[in-house]
Each structure stands twice: as C-alpha cells, then as structure tokens.
Amino acid sequence: MVAFLLFIFLLFFLLNRIGSVISSKFKYIVIGVISLYWGFALINAPDIEGYMYCYNIIGTNGNPYSSLSGFTFHQFEPGFIYYMSFVKKCVDSYYFFQFISFVIELGLTYYGINKLLNEESTTLKIMLAFALNFTLFMSAMRQGIAIALFICSLPFALERQYLKTLGFICVGFLFHRSIIIAFLFILLYWIIINKRENFYFNKWITISLFLLCNIIYFSGYSLSNGLSFISQLFIDEIDLAGDRNYSTYAETLSGKTNYGILKVIELDFCYIVIFFNKKFRNKTEFNLLYLLFLVYFVLNLSIGGMLIHRTNYFLVIPYYVVLFLSLDYFFHNKLNLTRIASKNIILGYIVGLFFIQKIISSDYIFEYHLFDFII
C-alpha cells in the first residue's frame, strides 16, 4: 500500500510539472516512473504459469519449437515464441523477460498516442492519468504487445499509409491473432473516409443512435444472446454450457457485469461532447479516434458478451484518449477551469475509481464495478 500511494503521489507531482514545452530529460523521467510501475506492479500477470513454464523450457538455439514438445498450456503464436527465445539468450530470468515486455508495451503505446495526437504534453498527461488502468488489460503479454502495435498503427491508418499500417498489424498478428478483429475497424475507417470527409451523421441519426444504445442497455437485453455462435468462432475456450456466463453486457469470467451506471454516464458524456459539439467535430485529425470510440460505445451498450470483451482490449486505449480529451475540454472550456485544475481533477477521478474498485472487488479488470448495485 505504501508503494502504491507513493506512486500516486509521483503521478500528481509529475502531472503538475508538465508545461507546454517538454524537455527530453523530463519525458524520460515520466516514462521511467511509469515503466517501473508497469514492470513490477503486475509481476503476477494473467496466465503467468504458462508463460513462465514456456520460458523456462524454451530453447535459445535453432528452432525454439523443438524444445516445446508436449507444451499445451497455450498455442502461443510464432512471433511470441521467437521473441521469448531471443530474450532468453540475453538473460535467463523470467521476471526480467516480463518486465522488459511491459516496458516495450509502454514505449509502443506512448509512440502511437504521441504520433496520433502530435502533442507531447497531452500524451504525457494521458499516460500519467491512465498509468494505473493501462496495466490491467495489457498485462497478458502476447495480447498486450499486439495492443501496443495496434496503437502504433493508428497514426499511419489516419494518414492512409497502408503499407506501414499493415506492417504493424502483421507483426501484431504474430503475437496475438485477435488483432485481426481490431484491424476491421481500420478497414471501416478507410472505406468511410474514402467516400466522404468524415463519418458524422445528421443530428437525428446521432440522437437516435444515442437513445437506442441506452434503451438496449437499460432494458437489460443484450444482442449478444443471439450472437453467441459468433463468439464461438473466435474464442475456442468459451463454454456456454459451463459455469461461465457471457450473454449480458461485457462480462468477466465470473459472469459479473463490468458496467455500472457510472460507466454508462461516462460513455454518454463522451458521446455528447464529441458528436454534439462543432468544435470537436471539426478536428478532422481525430476522426479515427472518434470512429473507434463510436464502435466502442455501440458494441458495449448494445451487444456486449465475450466477443466484445476481446474486442475491447484493442478499443479501450483509444477510448481513454477520447475520455481525457472530452473531460479536459469540458472542465477547461465549459467550466473555465485552468489547465492545471482540469488535469488534476481528471487524474483524481481515475485514481479514485481505481482505488475504490481495488478495495471493493478483486475482479476489476475492464470497467467500473462501482455503483453496480444501482441498476
């Protein structure tokens, strides 16, 4: 607990030191602090037994697969196998391998967000504000690296640099095949943007979509009930006949919904700020981010289920970026708060949620269990 509180103090301290001009020294200090937390805070990562066993038996010479005969814990992708073998050549410690993997994820995520926003001070604020949250869904190393590579592909997708985008996606596919689902959203963006300047609808369609998604959510009906067979096509470990329940919203393995009323309010807030505000809509450089948020909004409120749970891994970082931009705009432009006050409120909100959820529930990986009891 002392280490956790010290890290929170460092987050607030560093956030308040961010100015319009960022020195390289300060940037590396911020990245270093987050790296240490990312590298050590989740040393007991999901599926650690399988990763550790594979790392301990994997060969470092020739074909690494030859040393994995009988290894059936996971069907690890070839990119991850060869990456694991390469790191083991340098150091035999599994924990160093896990630490360096998390640091690589951080570096790739920072690079992608910074290139997408083209504003280093905002990128650092986002990384600090969500330093706690990012670790939760990127701690499974194979998919974590794939997520980071997907984030790296977004700025190139925005500029329609097809080969570079496909390059990141292909490398990500070598670490986790689920990145193909995320790539479909980039394809959707390319299709739409090649036919029109933006993807915004007229106000009646925008209002209707907003109301429809909320009605579906609050009615308790999930469209994923009719899509369970699709989930089985993508997720081989799904067991609808067992004690798992994936049919309502974005549920965890225990069957408990991740969404409380606070999360829905947060989603609705971002939707209203983005799609009913001309100043935001005119920022065409954020079109891809807004489209990814729209997909995240629609899928989670109206469909849910295990298929969406997997998809969320790739959409949640763009969502957090949009959430930060929306909150910052509201506090600074609508409530006339200073930039310092705005960013401290945002960090306080995120840290507060994380801390309360950590106390209330041990299963807080994706969204907000806080206020679940209200609905």
Side-chain angles (χ1 to χ4, degrees):
M1 178 61 72
V2 174
F4 176 76
L5 293 177
L6 178 61
F7 180 67
I8 298 300
F9 171 79
L10 283 174
L11 290 181
F12 277 100
F13 175 77
L14 292 171
L15 190 69
N16 284 279
R17 299 290 296 177
I18 295 177
S20 56
V21 179
I22 306 295
S23 67
S24 297
K25 182 179 179 180
F26 179 78
K27 177 178 68 175
Y28 291 130
I29 290 174
V30 171
I31 294 175
V33 168
I34 300 176
S35 295
L36 289 173
Y37 176 78
W38 248 14
F40 290 110
L42 285 173
I43 206 69
N44 187 22
D47 301 331
I48 189 172
E49 296 88 356
Y51 289 124
M52 185 177 293
Y53 177 72
C54 183
Y55 190 81
N56 289 334
I57 67 174
I58 196 169
T60 58
N61 296 314
N63 182 5
Y65 280 96
S66 62
S67 60
L68 298 178
S69 59
F71 177 71
T72 58
F73 189 86
H74 278 297
Q75 294 180 349
F76 288 165
E77 290 80 357
F80 185 75
I81 292 294
Y82 280 97
Y83 161 69
M84 182 179 283
S85 177
F86 174 79
V87 175
K88 192 174 181 181
K89 287 181 181 179
C90 303
V91 63
D92 197 53
S93 170
Y94 168 79
Y95 292 106
F96 176 83
F97 164 72
Q98 183 170 285
F99 172 78
I100 199 64
S101 297
F102 291 157
V103 173
I104 289 173
E105 291 174 18
L106 172 65
L108 292 172
T109 303
Y110 175 85
Y111 171 81
I113 295 176
N114 189 48
K115 190 171 179 61
L116 189 64
L117 300 182
N118 197 28
E119 190 174 332
E120 196 162 49
S121 62
T122 301
T123 302
L124 285 174
K125 292 173 189 175
I126 291 171
M127 296 301 291
L128 286 169
F130 298 104
L132 297 172
N133 301 61
F134 284 1
T135 61
L136 297 177
F137 47 86
M138 298 185 75
S139 56
M141 282 179 287
R142 292 158 49 233
Q143 186 156 310
I145 294 175
I147 291 169
L149 289 166
F150 172 70
I151 299 301
C152 283
S153 74
L154 295 182
F156 299 104
L158 179 67
E159 298 170 0
R160 283 178 272 186
Q161 297 185 32
Y162 303 115
L163 290 179
K164 290 183 179 179
T165 304
L166 289 172
F168 279 107
I169 297 298
C170 288
V171 175
F173 183 79
L174 294 175
F175 283 85
H176 206 285
R177 290 182 290 271
S178 62
I179 196 174
I180 292 300
I181 301 175
F183 180 57
L184 295 178
F185 304 132
I186 292 180
L187 289 178
L188 176 63
Y189 171 76
W190 284 342
I191 292 170
I192 293 174
I193 215 67
N194 280 330
K195 294 184 177 180
R196 51 190 296 182
E197 291 184 0
N198 58 60
F199 61 89
Y200 297 108
F201 316 114
N202 66 52
K203 67 177 182 179
W204 295 115
I205 295 178
T206 303
I207 293 172
S208 299
L209 182 63
F210 176 83
L211 293 176
L212 178 63
C213 289
N214 277 271
I215 289 171
I216 290 174
Y217 175 83
F218 284 107
S219 69
Y221 179 77
S222 171
L223 298 182
S224 66
N225 291 324
L227 296 174
S228 60
F229 69 97
I230 295 180
S231 297
Q232 295 180 59
L233 295 177
F234 289 96
I235 306 161
D236 54 9
E237 70 266 26
I238 192 168
D239 180 15
L240 295 176
D243 59 356
R244 299 177 182 179
N245 178 10
Y246 299 108
S247 61
T248 309
Y249 312 130
E251 297 190 356
T252 64
L253 296 182
S254 64
K256 182 179 180 181
T257 179
N258 288 327
Y259 282 9
I261 187 63
L262 181 59
K263 179 63 181 184
V264 180
I265 292 173
E266 192 181 274
L267 284 165
D268 287 345
F269 169 81
C270 291
Y271 188 99
I272 291 170
V273 169
I274 293 171
F275 296 105
F276 294 95
N277 190 298
K278 290 183 178 179
K279 185 173 181 179
F280 255 70
R281 290 204 308 270
N282 291 336
K283 293 185 176 182
T284 56
E285 67 271 22
F286 294 157
N287 269 343
L288 178 55
L289 270 178
Y290 296 158
L291 177 61
L292 293 176
F293 165 75
L294 181 62
V295 172
Y296 182 86
F297 178 88
V298 172
L299 292 183
N300 283 282
L301 289 188
S302 63
I303 299 180
M306 190 58 177
L307 176 61
I308 306 309
H309 168 75
R310 290 293 183 183
T311 306
N312 274 346
Y313 279 112
F314 293 92
L315 294 177
V316 74
I317 288 182
Y319 166 69
Y320 280 139
V321 173
V322 169
L323 174 62
F324 181 91
L325 295 174
S326 301
L327 288 171
D328 187 57
Y329 172 82
F330 177 75
F331 290 135
H332 182 66
N333 295 84
K334 294 300 183 181
L335 299 184
N336 296 318
L337 299 179
T338 64
R339 289 290 185 191
I340 294 178
S342 174
K343 61 191 180 186
N344 276 285
I345 291 174
I346 295 172
L347 178 57
Y349 168 70
I350 298 301
V351 169
L353 280 178
F354 183 92
F355 187 73
I356 294 174
Q357 289 160 201
K358 192 172 180 66
I359 294 175
I360 292 178
S361 172
S362 61
D363 189 4
Y364 55 93
I365 287 181
F366 238 115
E367 312 298 348
Y368 308 147
H369 289 285
L370 182 63
F371 300 149
D372 274 358
F373 60 87
I374 294 181
I375 40 179

